[in-house]
Amino acid sequence: MAQDTSFAASSETHAPDATASVAELKQIASQVRRDIVRMVHAVNSGHPGGSLGCTDLLVALYFKVMKHTPEPFDMNGVGQDLFFLSNGHISPVFYSVLARSGYFPVGELATFRKLNSRLQGHPATHEHLPGVRVASGSLGQGLSVAIGAAQAKKLNNDDRKVFVLMGDGELEEGQIWEAAMYAPHHKVDNLIAFVDRNGQQIDGPTDKIGGLGDLRAKFEAFNWRVLETDGNDLEKLLPTIEEAVQLSGQGQPIMVLMDTQMGYGVDFMMGSHKWHGVAPNDEQLEKALQQLAVEKAGDY
């Protein structure tokens, strides 16, 4: 069956804007959260919890912090900041932010996880979806990929940054710690990594499944420059990201430990691992949407 990619955007998109206010970013974040719950509800499948918790970070990066060009999409991202999503199961937030920042029509969000859609459950390059530079969701690989991209930028005298997001449950993967040793040793100082420290994973609280201990001490022992922030408070998150950018280029990779709540923005989902990979029913969707303001661009 031929793939239909002729989707019309049902609402406007936003270009990156370094002058965007916190209030404007909060409006966009609310709309992204509406997209997330509607996308997973429509197909009764997907991961709303972590997507809702990481919305503020992706909105901050794509709508204010990063220098990037949605159209035309350049796979290599020469002269652009790059973002890699390591915990690829939170694809709903990634797809919403990509669409609303101009990478592909917002209307295409309605195809999430459907047959022949470019918006599969985990992002992949096979679908040639603009904005996706690596297949992810097989956890533990994103940091390694981001390090490689950051080193390539250095070799090419490209002074832009590379950002990567990981989940805290994902840190149980051994490959992450190999990469965590590698980056400081090779002074990959154009790399800014984030950990979504929501304390939850699919089987329950992280401290009961595979306790992570003192993450700050661990990464500092590996010679990372470590910052901590509230990932659901843009008034705290934005200055922390800006500090991370300012600290880059000084011989150390930067790690931002970002405290979030799974399901943030929807009261009955917040703080529970039960919403890791469960879609809301009709009644729950309506309740969620009542808590999330519609941004001026509107629903797809």
Side-chain angles (χ1 to χ4, degrees):
M1 181 182 295
Q3 178 174 286
D4 180 9
T5 58
S6 58
F7 299 94
S10 60
S11 53
E12 67 185 79
T13 55
H14 301 255
D17 180 5
T19 66
S21 69
V22 169
E24 290 169 331
L25 295 174
K26 285 181 178 179
Q27 290 178 349
I28 297 169
S30 180
Q31 184 64 61
V32 168
R33 288 186 166 100
R34 291 180 67 89
D35 292 345
I36 291 165
V37 294
R38 293 182 67 234
M39 288 162 67
V40 299
H41 167 266
V43 290
N44 194 31
S45 180
H47 295 78
S51 294
L52 292 167
C54 290
T55 295
D56 301 295
L57 172 66
L58 268 70
V59 167
L61 290 177
Y62 275 86
F63 290 92
K64 185 175 178 69
V65 176
M66 295 197 313
K67 176 186 176 182
H68 62 110
T69 305
E71 178 64 33
F73 175 60
D74 172 21
M75 190 67 171
N76 292 321
V78 176
Q80 301 180 50
D81 293 321
L82 303 182
F83 173 80
F84 293 99
L85 178 68
S86 186
N87 47 334
H89 55 278
I90 66 167
S91 61
V93 63
F94 192 32
Y95 293 149
S96 172
V97 168
L98 286 176
R100 292 195 176 272
S101 61
Y103 282 85
F104 56 88
V106 174
E108 193 169 352
L109 296 177
T111 73
F112 174 67
R113 280 198 164 202
K114 293 182 178 179
L115 189 65
N116 294 323
S117 171
R118 299 194 295 177
L119 280 63
Q120 290 301 313
H122 295 84
T125 54
H126 179 73
E127 281 76 18
H128 304 292
L129 186 68
V132 176
R133 291 187 167 90
V134 65
S136 62
S138 181
L139 296 177
Q141 299 177 11
L143 183 58
S144 299
V145 171
I147 290 170
Q151 287 190 303
K153 283 194 174 294
K154 282 179 169 287
L155 289 170
N156 292 330
N157 295 314
D158 184 338
D159 65 356
R160 303 313 305 174
K161 307 292 186 289
V162 175
F163 299 85
V164 60
L165 171 63
M166 299 168 280
D168 53 355
E170 184 184 3
L171 298 188
E172 294 172 16
E173 294 279 357
Q175 182 174 337
I176 285 180
W177 296 101
E178 295 180 51
M181 287 188 289
Y182 180 97
H185 177 77
H186 292 278
K187 294 181 170 52
V188 186
D189 57 3
N190 56 340
L191 172 69
I192 300 174
F194 296 85
V195 169
D196 174 23
R197 194 166 57 179
N198 62 23
Q200 307 290 335
Q201 59 192 96
I202 191 169
D203 292 324
T206 54
D207 61 358
K208 297 185 182 300
I209 304 303
L212 298 168
D214 188 340
L215 285 181
R216 181 179 191 119
K218 286 181 177 179
F219 280 104
E220 286 181 339
F222 284 28
N223 202 29
W224 285 71
R225 185 70 178 265
V226 181
L227 305 175
E228 298 183 73
T229 193
D230 184 337
N232 294 137
D233 184 344
L234 281 163
E235 292 175 337
K236 295 178 180 177
L237 177 61
L238 277 172
T240 305
I241 298 173
E242 290 166 359
E243 181 181 1
V245 171
Q246 292 170 359
L247 290 170
S248 63
Q250 298 180 26
Q252 291 176 285
I254 311 297
M255 172 60 66
V256 181
L257 301 175
M258 185 179 70
D259 293 320
T260 72
Q261 287 195 61
M262 180 170 282
Y264 189 84
V266 178
D267 59 6
F268 62 87
M269 292 185 180
M270 287 174 62
S272 172
H273 75 277
K274 295 178 180 179
W275 288 98
H276 173 88
V278 176
N281 60 30
D282 292 350
E283 181 180 351
Q284 290 166 332
L285 173 66
E286 185 60 32
K287 185 177 179 181
L289 293 176
Q290 288 174 0
Q291 299 175 42
L292 299 167
V294 184
E295 201 257 343
K296 64 180 180 180
D299 292 331
Y300 60 86

